[in-house]
């Protein structure tokens, strides 16, 4: 007899429609399969998997942080003893994962079973043994069981990708992959309903489309007061989240926090500037670390749209919305927060004009990251294009603050230049002078047609609209409606 984990259905589950459909189809298939799921902490992996497979027989085995392989195996055996209600299994002394997998196989009857290994990087203790021994168990036990689904789930993307997905051990063994990412605008709006689109975008730019974070953005009468209450009161969620966010990713590397803290003090930095700050040489080890941090979604590497990704002009910046917010507004007053100085009035911890300016930079990053959404609005998403920021050595020397944050170099011989403004009111004619200055510095060697686009919150006021300077003006409503299509 075996007693699988009981999952309560969540009636108000929001979003993840495409992921839900894909996972459902996999769960209905009778062919045995391996599913690898990964993504940053708080992204909603567990909730999604448990809800989709609530009607299947789930045996969930969770890893424990900081435990040895022997301790992890002992914990899995204890969990198996709970499912089988056989305490003797929990007392067994077993030295290999193969023996653990065989015990699991021997104790589950025929039928649709899901073996769900959670926080697999801890189960494996960041080593190859777990995966290589799973290969043996798959080849000799699991692949013969109709209706069996093995899930390997983790919050350390670099480990999952490098040591599971790219591992030769599981290559071509009915393996499916799902990199779970943050909500889009539509899902975020549904989650925060009935908030206005402006409030939804404020929340998205501040903490990202992370379901667990968005929960804390609707605890008060407005998104802003909710964020302040849960960021600037002592022991509040956002004030404590920083230490938890890295638990499953990179926590053993001594340089990762130094890189994050350095990038928090600048809008961006080159690889050479990072090396200089860390006082280390530019080596393969640094490359691997930067790739790991980028894979986790914490930083972003961006290069001028017209250059190779390995260009020395490549810049790194913090990509994670929450981390941007933490470093800017929470970390500088962390001691005051923990002393409770803002408990009576959390909103006093942040100056609104500073916050609005910061949101403007976050909006630029949002647009660069969601360039496909803008291409859809402008109607050329079916045309091949290069997209990204523009800056070069000349502009760095003569105009160090200059860059076009989003440029589309299109195969239909058009270059679309985008100016982003996240402001409270409709934008006026002052933006023209700034755009013209950038346009003078922009090289158009191929003599393509130039399309000028303004992406802003409420659109243009009468003075700007009657000038007909921009070929297209995109508003927040346009962004939300395009995302919903």
């Amino acid at each position: 007899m075996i007693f699988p984990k009981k999952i309560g259905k969540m009636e108000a589950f929001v979003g993840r429609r495409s992921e839900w459909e894909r996972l459902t189809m996999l769960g209905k298939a009778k062919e045995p399969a391996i599913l690898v799921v990964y993504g940053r902490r708080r992204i909603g992996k567990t909730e999604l998997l448990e809800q989709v497979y609530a009607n299947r027989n789930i045996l969930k085995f969770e890893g424990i942080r900081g435990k040895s392989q022997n301790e992890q195996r002992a914990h899995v055996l204890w969990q198996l003893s709970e499912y089988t209600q056989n305490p003797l299994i929990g007392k067994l002394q077993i030295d290999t994962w193969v023996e653990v997998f065989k015990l699991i196989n021997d104790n589950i009857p025929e039928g649709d079973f899901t073996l769900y290994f959670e926080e697999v990087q801890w189960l494996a203790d960041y080593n190859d043994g777990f995966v290589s021994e799973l290969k043996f168990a798959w080849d000799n036990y699991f692949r013969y069981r109709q209706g069996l689904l093995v899930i390997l789930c983790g919050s350390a993307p670099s480990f999952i990708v490098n040591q599971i997905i790219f591992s030769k051990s599981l290559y071509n063994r009915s393996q499916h992959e799902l990199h779970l990412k943050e909500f889009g605008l539509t899902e975020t709006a549904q989650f925060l309903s009935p908030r206005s689109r402006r409030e939804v975008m404020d929340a998205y730019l501040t903490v990202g489309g992370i379901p667990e974070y968005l929960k804390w953005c609707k605890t008060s009468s407005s998104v802003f007061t909710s964020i302040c209450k849960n960021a600037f009161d002592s022991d509040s969620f956002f004030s404590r989240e920083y230490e938890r966010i890295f638990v499953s990713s990179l926590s053993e590397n001594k340089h990762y926090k130094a890189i994050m803290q350095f990038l928090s003090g600048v809008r961006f930095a080159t690889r050479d500037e990072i090396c200089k700050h860390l006082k280390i040489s530019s080596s393969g080890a640094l490359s691997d670390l930067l790739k790991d941090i980028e894979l986790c979604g914490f930083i972003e590497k961006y290069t001028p749209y017209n250059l190779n990704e390995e260009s020395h002009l490549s810049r790194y910046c913090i990509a994670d919305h929450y981390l941007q917010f933490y470093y800017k507004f929470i970390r500088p007053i962390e001691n005051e927060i923990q002393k409770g100085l803002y408990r009576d009035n959390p909103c006093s911890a942040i100056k609104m004009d500073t916050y609005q300016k910061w949101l403007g930079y976050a909006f630029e990053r949002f647009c660069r990251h969601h360039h496909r959404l803008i291409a859809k609005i402008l109607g050329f998403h079916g045309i091949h294009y290069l997209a990204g920021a523009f800056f070069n050595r000349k502009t760095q020397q003569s105009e160090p603050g200059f860059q076009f944050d989003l440029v589309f170099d299109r195969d239909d011989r058009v270059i679309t230049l985008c100016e982003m403004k996240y402001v409270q009111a409709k934008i006026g004619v002052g933006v023209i002078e700034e755009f013209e200055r950038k346009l003078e510095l922009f090289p158009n060697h191929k003599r393509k047609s130039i399309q000028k686009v303004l992406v802003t919150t409420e659109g243009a006021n009468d003075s700007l609209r009657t000038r007909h300077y921009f070929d297209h003006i995109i508003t927040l409503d346009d962004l939300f409606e395009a995302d919903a299509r």
Side-chain angles (χ1 to χ4, degrees):
M1 254 330 252
I2 197 159
F3 301 88
K5 183 179 179 67
K6 293 186 181 297
I7 307 294
K9 292 291 282 186
M10 182 185 295
E11 298 300 328
F13 189 87
V14 171
R16 306 298 191 199
R17 188 170 72 175
S18 63
E19 294 92 341
W20 187 290
E21 291 174 355
R22 179 183 167 194
L23 293 175
T24 299
M25 290 294 292
L26 182 60
K28 288 180 178 178
K30 289 301 180 182
E31 289 296 317
I34 298 172
L35 170 64
V36 182
V37 180
Y38 64 103
R40 79 187 295 287
R41 283 177 63 82
R42 313 293 195 185
I43 202 70
K45 301 181 297 297
T46 300
E47 199 70 68
L48 175 63
L49 291 169
E50 290 188 349
Q51 289 301 305
V52 171
Y53 297 131
N55 295 327
R56 289 176 59 92
N57 298 306
I58 297 181
L59 303 183
K60 185 177 180 182
F61 302 98
E62 299 183 56
I64 303 176
R65 184 192 180 203
K67 299 296 183 180
S68 68
Q69 287 281 275
N70 285 333
E71 291 171 312
Q72 301 288 356
R73 284 190 285 266
H75 185 61
V76 169
L77 290 177
W78 175 81
Q79 291 173 93
L80 181 60
S81 73
E82 292 288 294
Y83 291 130
T84 59
Q85 295 191 359
N86 181 355
L88 292 178
I89 291 178
K91 296 178 180 179
L92 295 173
Q93 299 293 317
I94 289 181
D95 297 325
T96 69
W97 281 110
V98 168
E99 294 172 279
V100 172
F101 296 139
K102 187 173 189 308
L103 260 178
I104 294 173
N105 181 71
D106 292 345
N107 278 276
I108 56 176
E110 295 297 319
D112 293 340
F113 272 84
T114 300
L115 305 183
Y116 178 5
F117 296 97
E118 174 76 290
E119 299 295 6
V120 69
Q121 73 279 351
W122 292 342
L123 284 169
D125 195 23
Y126 295 94
N127 293 311
D128 297 330
F130 179 92
V131 177
S132 60
E133 292 186 59
L134 176 61
K135 169 196 175 298
F136 180 90
W138 178 263
D139 288 345
N140 292 277
Y141 315 131
F142 294 148
R143 73 185 182 95
Y144 297 108
R145 304 188 65 101
Q146 292 297 301
L148 179 68
L149 178 61
V150 177
I151 299 177
L152 305 177
C153 182
S155 302
S158 57
F159 174 83
I160 300 293
V161 171
N162 295 326
Q163 293 177 261
I164 296 181
I165 293 176
F166 289 163
S167 169
K168 294 180 180 178
S169 296
L170 298 180
Y171 178 72
N172 203 26
R173 284 175 169 78
S174 303
Q175 184 173 303
H176 304 262
E177 303 163 17
L178 175 61
H179 182 188
L180 196 61
K181 300 180 181 180
E182 59 185 348
F183 279 167
L185 288 180
T186 302
E187 292 171 311
T188 303
Q190 292 172 349
F191 195 91
L192 293 178
S193 179
R195 303 294 188 188
S196 69
R197 285 174 170 175
R198 180 59 188 256
E199 275 203 290
V200 171
M201 182 59 87
D202 282 353
Y204 199 97
L205 296 178
T206 303
V207 299
I210 311 297
E212 183 63 27
Y213 294 173
L214 293 171
K215 288 180 184 178
W216 298 92
C217 292
K218 54 181 182 178
T219 58
S220 295
S221 58
S222 72
V223 164
F224 180 72
T225 56
S226 298
I227 290 171
C228 290
K229 176 183 176 182
N230 294 297
F232 303 118
D233 195 359
S234 57
D235 297 322
S236 56
F237 178 81
F238 291 129
S239 70
R240 292 297 193 187
E241 174 66 0
Y242 175 74
E243 292 300 330
R244 295 188 287 255
I245 199 174
F246 297 110
V247 163
S248 297
S249 305
L250 311 166
S251 56
E252 304 304 317
N253 192 291
K254 65 180 181 179
H255 290 308
Y256 84 91
K257 279 189 179 179
I259 292 174
M260 298 300 296
Q261 289 169 11
F262 173 59
L263 290 176
S264 73
V266 294
R267 285 190 64 188
F268 47 75
T270 64
R271 178 192 175 93
D272 288 343
E273 289 169 336
I274 293 172
C275 290
K276 183 177 179 181
H277 175 77
L278 295 178
K279 297 181 173 61
I280 61 174
S281 61
S282 181
S283 63
L286 177 62
S287 296
D288 291 342
L289 178 57
L290 290 171
K291 286 179 181 177
D292 282 351
I293 303 176
E294 187 176 8
L295 191 58
C296 291
F298 298 148
I299 66 172
E300 172 193 10
K301 177 185 178 183
Y302 68 102
T303 305
Y305 75 94
N306 55 332
L307 297 181
N308 186 280
E309 284 190 5
E310 301 309 313
S311 167
H312 289 295
L313 286 178
S314 296
R315 295 170 170 177
Y316 292 89
C317 67
I318 295 178
D320 186 89
H321 295 277
Y322 162 74
L323 287 174
Q324 283 275 4
F325 179 77
Y326 169 82
Y327 282 120
K328 178 65 177 179
F329 297 107
I330 296 176
R331 189 177 185 85
I333 56 172
E334 208 164 28
N335 291 334
E336 290 91 335
I337 291 171
Q338 295 312 317
K339 289 176 183 177
L341 298 185
Y342 301 102
R343 181 170 297 153
D344 294 335
N345 186 11
C347 294
S348 67
I350 187 170
K351 292 181 179 179
M352 185 58 75
D353 58 343
T354 304
Y355 179 56
Q356 290 299 325
K357 183 178 180 181
W358 177 84
L359 285 175
Y361 293 135
F363 187 61
E364 292 172 3
R365 292 191 299 273
F366 170 89
C367 291
R368 188 170 66 237
H369 185 71
H370 292 84
H371 59 83
R372 290 181 181 84
L373 199 58
I374 293 173
K376 182 193 291 188
I377 294 169
L378 296 173
F380 60 80
H381 55 292
I383 298 170
H384 179 265
Y385 62 78
L386 298 175
F390 168 75
F391 50 92
N392 59 24
R393 287 187 176 87
K394 179 181 178 182
T395 59
Q396 283 183 317
Q397 293 167 1
S398 61
E399 298 279 349
F402 163 86
Q403 74 173 40
F404 270 115
D405 286 289
L406 183 57
V407 176
F408 296 90
D409 190 345
R410 299 156 43 179
D411 278 4
D412 57 352
R413 296 202 56 77
V414 175
I415 291 178
T416 299
L417 301 175
C418 297
E419 181 72 13
M420 279 74 78
K421 295 292 181 185
Y422 196 74
V423 293
Q424 294 291 316
K426 293 185 176 183
I427 203 83
V429 294
V431 71
I432 295 178
E433 182 180 350
E434 181 181 350
F435 195 93
E436 280 290 311
R437 180 176 63 85
K438 292 182 179 182
L439 196 55
E440 289 178 4
L441 295 169
F442 182 79
N444 184 10
H445 302 303
K446 297 179 182 179
R447 298 187 180 279
K448 292 187 175 184
S449 299
I450 297 292
Q451 181 186 35
K452 295 173 288 188
V453 175
L454 175 65
V455 188
T456 187
T457 47
E458 306 296 330
N461 64 19
D462 290 341
S463 62
L464 178 57
R465 193 169 58 253
T466 56
R467 291 282 293 272
H468 302 291
Y469 177 79
F470 287 99
D471 298 301
H472 202 106
I473 297 176
I474 296 174
T475 65
L476 281 189
D477 286 342
D478 295 325
L479 291 170
F480 276 91
E481 288 163 13
D483 187 71
R485 292 200 297 269

